[in-house]
Amino acid sequence: MRVVVLADRFGPDRAAAAVAGEVGAGWAESAGHDCVEVYGLSDGGPGFADAIAPIATDSHPVVLTGAFGGDVPADILVRGDTAYVDSSHVIGAHLAPAEATATQALGGSSAGVGELLAAARATGVSRIVLAVGNEVASHDGGHGLLSALGAGHDLADLPTVVQDWTDMRLVLAAASMMPLTGFHGASAALATERGLNAEQSQTFEAMLGAFTEVVDRALGSTPSMDLLSGRPRRREQISGSGTGGGIGYAAQLLGASTQPGAALLLEHLGIRERLRGSLVVLVARRYDWHTVADGVVAESAKAALEAAAPTMVLAQEVLVGRREGMSLGISGTYAPRPGETMQQLGARVARTWSPPPAA
């Protein structure tokens, strides 16, 4: 049997590929008769560059402006005519000052992401994949990004910038498909994901709302019509525009198409074609309401379901029941016993799902 192990990142100190390797090694210990393949994935946030590195043929290190100033290193990975860039290198939450409050930790600028896009374009590629997660130190709607590309602080030159990027195929690999504004938008999510209270979230919402009005005035164009509702299709309501505190919004203004980051990796790494006829083992730190909606587990389970491949989840913490995963085709969930490592958990589950063949 072919067993495909797909793991998400377990935190800043445990890379996805390492966790996948641990579970894969445990499985092989108990079921050496199986063919085990392991892959580290990302939802588009931290770890995206590590996930895409195995297929990159060239690397361009650069130094850019961090969210709170100062120089930060980043890497542009290239394969063929495509450059892959990870925005977490520039505006990741880890760049916020240690003493910053929850609100202050979101006060960084996205200008460095604009610099990153410009540097990627300078490599001569015709397509750029911009990975954007939600663990960021900026919530400016992409204002800094657009300014860094030449739009100006008042966005007076935004139409020129948008026109200048029409010859580049830009792809947004988004960790979340949330819109920029509204009850399910980027600012509303801050209350549950970053610990802000309702008043603080509303302040950020008002800031983003004012920013979108500046964008609309600068572009001076009528949004396209939604074919289903017949109403104007507002840019700030497009799926994925809210990811990264609005980096998605800015990227979409530049013409980016949007795809879930994990789904993009399944395609670009050639994993999707490996799922048919396999047993799929998904590994995550937490299996909760968020995990079943967005990210590595959700997108991988959907792909496995399309391939009619049985799927299970191994997680450090299992916080939802069987019913939540049934729509994704997940057959079972497993958590470590006290003192049990992920490698030992992989070995234990393998004994259940793939016992040795009869003599």
Side-chain angles (χ1 to χ4, degrees):
M1 180 169 65
R2 182 168 65 226
V3 179
V4 178
V5 180
L6 307 175
D8 198 356
R9 194 175 71 119
F10 264 50
D13 299 324
R14 296 191 68 189
V19 177
E22 291 174 16
V23 173
W27 193 285
E29 289 174 9
S30 294
H33 49 278
D34 288 341
C35 174
V36 182
E37 300 178 8
V38 298
Y39 303 93
L41 295 180
S42 165
D43 63 359
F48 183 89
D50 293 334
I52 208 69
I55 66 167
T57 56
D58 201 4
S59 173
H60 300 267
V62 291
V63 177
L64 308 165
T65 304
F68 293 89
D71 294 337
V72 295
D75 207 5
I76 300 168
L77 300 173
V78 177
R79 185 191 187 199
D81 66 346
T82 302
Y84 299 88
V85 292
D86 188 339
S87 65
S88 66
H89 290 170
V90 188
I91 60 165
H94 65 283
L95 295 174
E99 67 279 4
T101 65
T103 302
Q104 292 168 341
L106 291 162
S109 170
S110 61
V113 182
E115 297 174 9
L116 182 59
L117 287 175
R121 187 178 187 179
T123 64
V125 297
S126 60
R127 178 173 64 171
I128 300 174
V129 174
L130 171 64
V132 182
N134 291 317
E135 300 174 34
V136 294
S138 175
H139 201 81
D140 66 357
H143 188 179
L145 183 161
L146 297 171
S147 297
L149 290 178
H153 184 74
D154 60 357
L155 302 187
D157 293 321
L158 180 58
T160 302
V161 172
V162 171
Q163 178 62 33
D164 184 47
W165 278 78
T166 55
D167 63 343
M168 175 61 65
R169 289 182 295 157
L170 187 58
V171 180
L172 171 65
S176 170
M177 303 308 288
M178 74 174 76
L180 181 65
T181 59
F183 290 117
H184 302 288
S187 297
L190 295 177
T192 56
E193 296 183 6
R194 302 296 288 270
L196 270 65
N197 60 40
E199 183 178 354
Q200 292 168 327
S201 296
Q202 289 171 4
T203 298
F204 277 110
E205 176 77 0
M207 291 169 54
L208 292 181
F211 175 62
T212 63
E213 293 177 1
V214 175
V215 168
D216 289 342
R217 288 196 297 269
L219 292 179
S221 57
T222 303
S224 60
M225 301 298 291
D226 187 304
L227 297 180
L228 293 178
S229 67
R231 298 177 179 177
R233 188 167 179 258
R234 299 193 60 81
R235 302 179 184 93
E236 64 271 21
Q237 291 300 309
I238 296 175
S239 295
S241 59
T243 194
I247 298 296
Y249 175 70
Q252 290 170 349
L253 291 176
L254 299 177
S257 60
T258 304
Q259 188 174 356
L264 182 142
L265 284 174
L266 290 173
E267 176 185 336
H268 286 223
L269 295 175
I271 297 172
R272 192 179 295 273
E273 61 196 43
R274 304 296 297 165
L275 300 182
R276 189 169 298 278
S278 301
L279 172 63
V280 181
V281 180
L282 307 179
V283 188
R285 187 177 68 84
R286 290 167 63 92
Y287 181 57
D288 55 16
W289 63 269
H290 180 75
T291 309
V292 298
D294 288 311
V296 170
V297 169
E299 295 301 328
S300 299
K302 291 174 187 176
L305 187 60
E306 292 172 1
T311 307
M312 71 179 74
V313 173
L314 276 60
Q316 197 76 47
E317 296 180 82
V318 175
L319 302 176
V320 294
R322 179 182 177 87
R323 179 179 298 178
E324 285 77 8
M326 288 178 63
S327 63
L328 294 173
I330 294 173
S331 301
T333 57
Y334 301 87
R337 293 167 178 165
E340 191 176 40
T341 66
M342 293 305 293
Q343 181 167 334
Q344 291 168 337
L345 174 61
R348 172 163 62 87
V349 175
R351 289 193 292 269
T352 299
W353 282 76
S354 186

